[in-house]
Amino acid sequence: MSKTVLTCTCLGTQNVDAKALSEATGMDVKAPCAALCTDQIDLAAKALGAGDAIICCTQEAATFEALADDLEVAAPGLVDIRDRGGWTSDTRDTAPKMAALLAEAALPAVPHKAVDVVSEGMCLILGPEEVALAAADQLKEFLNVTVLLSPGAEVPDTRAFDVVVGHLRRASGALGQFEVVIDGLQQVIPGGRGARSLSPPRDGGQSSCDVILDLRGGPALFPAPEKREGYLRADPGHPPSVAAATLEASHLTGTFEKPLYVKAEPVLCAHSRAEQTGCTRCLDLCPTGAIVPAGDHVSVDPMICAGCGACSSVCPSGAISYDAPPVDLTFRRVQTLAQTYLAAGGKDPRLLVHDAHGRDMIELAARHGRGLPADVIPLEMSAIGAFGHAEMVAGLAAGFANVTVMPGPGADSAALEAQVALAQALAEPNRVALLDCSDPEAMSDALFDQTPAPNAVTPVRPMGTRRQITRQAARALHPDAEQLPLPDGAPYGAILVNKDSCTLCLSCVSLCPSGALGDNSDKPQLRFQEDACLQCGLCATICPEDAITLEPRLDLT
């Protein structure tokens, strides 16, 4: 049974070719409405009642979801073909682009994985006496508050919240499971007359809490503090910031859903062997410190992981992969967009990869400016860092003329630049670009001014791991090439062995985590399988004769 698609011209501000969309997608695309969310809401109710409907409007998502609740039916699929396609100053046909967006929206949804995090409202407040105590007084009705004051501070005469004295040595964890260690810890001794008395100081006092409100104004307790859930900071000299952080803290009690952003396969990890360090790509990039060494492999703390996706892009073996959504769904989305656009008669589509900030920019550009060109197809990623070199070259191999990645303010630009550079080496420099732009008008101008060369590649849709897809895509982009040089640090390449220095001790063979190196049981010989090499460097590190060097490249033969 095909899906029913309801479209709307939004008061006549865009053209929708329902017949062309039906032919391109195989879905039952109804004749476009003019005011589906108001005067023609009965048509939406009828489609929802019949089930399996897609409504081409995200602006009024709340209206259609409320309608589904009233009808006691499943919420409809929603897709934006207006801001992303219809509202444009481009006079070319937008039907192929709309068809591509519809086909992508019809892909089966993948349920996200999550765990429940419970916060009982145990809040630790750090900061100067006056500011910290004022915040505690505001929060005492909502949270179980403890204030940590510096030695010598005047302890207030109150039991409305707890006060301790000491120095915070360290803190770890995240929302619902922070652990703190306090030196010189002194606690209030209840009872007695006059000023509050304190217990003798002791070092190494340990405690736990659910929320930390840091009003010290100094260095953060954690790397990437804005990504650490349950950790709130504010400048004590800026009352509005303190008020905002205090208000946010008051809401951090109850049960929260924590997404599980990545999945790990430790057996594939090439981090270490025999206490020799190899690959550290994910460790070098993780902004929150969620990834730590754990023997021969690395370990990811899902409670600290903020889901930036960079680890998935750089992992050479697939030991860590993004899972919200899964990597294979991203490949399917890219391939579906290209395949549908080309099948609908479009020529040389361009892929614009963006995050939530980019979505806002597209909406503003469409409503108040030129919008997007008719051949630019937007792909929103929840974590743009997860769109790495493999996804970029797969997009080109699928038929896109070029791929432009537009990161938002919170993205790791350095990590993305490295992935773009690798993709450029695997394809061509003018096929992949990074658009660092925060102005909607400048974004539109840059895309309208862009004139990429036509894509002469016969579209392919490779399957398999990210490494396999990269190799197949690169082969399609360079059908006559045998080898591509790659930048330093690339996860593909060969090893060069100085035969005069090598003693065939086979230390490299015993440590190779991917099986790229082996020996010959019949004669003294070192064997190498290049497509399995992760360029982790363990062989070069362990070689007692320094006979091994790495050569980043991609062999296409």
Side-chain angles (χ1 to χ4, degrees):
M1 179 180 177
S2 65
K3 291 181 180 290
T4 299
V5 179
L6 299 185
T7 63
C8 183
T9 65
C10 202
L11 301 180
T13 57
Q14 68 170 341
N15 295 319
V16 179
D17 188 339
K19 181 180 178 182
L21 295 180
S22 292
E23 293 175 350
T25 62
M27 292 185 263
D28 181 15
V29 183
K30 302 297 185 183
C33 302
L36 182 61
C37 60
T38 53
D39 296 344
Q40 295 169 296
I41 193 72
D42 58 310
L43 297 179
K46 181 178 178 181
L48 291 176
D52 211 14
I54 295 178
I55 295 178
C56 296
C57 177
T58 56
Q59 176 180 285
E60 299 303 320
T63 298
F64 298 118
E65 289 168 355
L67 178 61
D69 284 342
D70 291 342
L71 297 173
E72 297 183 349
V73 297
L78 300 170
V79 57
D80 171 24
I81 64 172
R82 183 194 69 181
D83 297 335
R84 300 193 294 165
W87 279 2
T88 175
S89 62
D90 198 332
T91 58
R92 291 175 292 178
D93 184 16
T94 58
K97 178 177 180 177
M98 290 182 177
L101 297 174
L102 270 177
E104 183 214 357
L107 288 173
V110 177
H112 69 279
K113 302 172 184 176
V115 295
D116 287 341
V117 174
V118 178
S119 170
E120 297 179 348
M122 304 284 290
C123 177
L124 176 65
I125 302 180
L126 314 173
E129 177 181 347
E130 181 179 347
V131 179
L133 292 176
D137 192 56
Q138 295 179 52
L139 288 172
K140 67 179 186 294
E141 301 298 331
F142 308 97
L143 305 175
N144 189 340
V145 176
T146 298
V147 179
L148 175 61
L149 298 179
S150 299
E154 182 178 350
V155 178
D157 186 11
T158 179
R159 297 301 289 165
F161 50 84
D162 292 331
V163 177
V164 296
V165 174
H167 295 290
L168 182 66
R169 183 199 301 178
R170 66 171 181 266
S172 60
L175 176 66
Q177 47 190 240
F178 285 108
E179 298 290 337
V180 297
V181 177
I182 301 173
D183 288 335
L185 175 64
Q186 294 179 276
Q187 297 173 283
V188 174
I189 299 175
R193 186 169 177 228
R196 296 287 182 182
S197 56
L198 301 174
S199 64
R202 62 185 178 91
D203 292 339
Q206 299 183 25
S207 185
S208 60
C209 60
D210 300 308
V211 179
I212 296 179
L213 178 57
D214 187 352
L215 306 178
R216 299 171 304 152
L221 296 177
F222 307 101
E226 70 284 353
K227 299 178 184 292
R228 184 69 59 117
E229 294 180 355
Y231 177 61
L232 308 173
R233 295 177 71 213
D235 181 355
H238 190 249
S241 298
V242 174
T246 302
L247 178 62
E248 186 175 353
S250 69
H251 292 83
L252 293 181
T253 181
T255 301
F256 300 87
E257 193 176 74
K258 171 64 177 177
L260 299 177
Y261 292 110
V262 300
K263 66 177 180 180
E265 298 286 350
V267 70
L268 300 178
C269 185
H271 169 60
S272 174
R273 293 293 185 276
E275 299 184 353
Q276 298 295 319
T277 301
C279 178
T280 61
R281 290 176 174 91
C282 62
L283 292 167
D284 296 338
L285 280 180
C286 183
T288 63
I291 306 177
V292 295
D296 286 352
H297 57 86
V298 297
S299 175
V300 183
D301 188 334
M303 298 299 104
I304 297 176
C305 174
C308 71
C311 56
S312 177
S313 294
V314 301
C315 181
S317 64
I320 294 180
S321 58
Y322 203 71
D323 204 35
V327 170
D328 61 340
L329 177 58
T330 299
F331 284 117
R332 288 204 304 274
R333 293 174 66 196
V334 170
Q335 293 164 358
T336 298
L337 288 170
Q339 182 180 21
T340 308
Y341 182 92
L342 294 171
K347 302 291 185 183
D348 299 319
R350 295 180 280 162
L351 183 65
L352 176 65
V353 186
H354 63 89
D355 54 15
H357 181 264
R359 178 188 64 229
D360 295 339
M361 288 177 57
I362 291 171
E363 291 176 355
L364 289 171
R367 181 171 288 276
H368 302 290
R370 302 168 71 186
L372 296 179
D375 60 349
V376 171
I377 303 179
L379 173 69
E380 182 174 347
M381 295 288 296
S382 57
I384 199 167
F387 199 88
H389 67 276
E391 289 78 7
M392 297 173 196
V393 295
L396 297 175
F400 284 103
N402 73 353
V403 175
T404 300
V405 181
M406 185 173 66
D412 187 338
S413 297
L416 276 175
E417 288 170 1
Q419 290 298 302
V420 168
L422 180 53
Q424 290 174 339
L426 291 165
E428 297 173 9
N430 63 334
R431 298 290 188 186
V432 183
L434 195 65
L435 179 58
D436 189 2
C437 180
S438 58
D439 177 72
E441 185 176 353
M443 174 198 68
S444 292
D445 291 344
L447 294 172
F448 272 98
D449 293 343
Q450 194 181 61
T451 53
N455 193 348
V457 175
T458 300
V460 297
R461 293 167 185 89
M463 300 175 63
T465 65
R466 297 181 81 251
R467 290 181 68 84
Q468 293 168 335
I469 288 174
T470 298
R471 188 175 299 277
Q472 294 171 55
R475 190 177 291 122
L477 295 172
H478 305 278
D480 300 322
E482 294 186 356
Q483 191 178 106
L484 300 176
L486 299 179
D488 290 341
Y492 314 94
I495 63 167
L496 305 180
V497 180
N498 186 331
K499 296 180 181 179
D500 294 332
S501 301
C502 178
T503 62
L504 284 177
C505 69
L506 301 183
S507 296
C508 55
V509 173
S510 64
L511 261 65
C512 181
S514 64
L517 281 166
D519 65 337
N520 189 334
S521 58
D522 297 327
K523 56 183 177 180
Q525 188 180 63
L526 191 64
R527 289 181 168 180
F528 177 65
Q529 183 180 336
E530 184 164 332
D531 62 355
C533 180
L534 306 176
Q535 296 282 286
C536 66
L538 273 167
C539 56
T541 300
I542 197 62
C543 180
E545 311 300 337
D546 293 329
I548 298 178
T549 56
L550 305 181
E551 182 184 8
R553 69 187 192 189
L554 188 66
D555 188 346
L556 299 179
T557 62

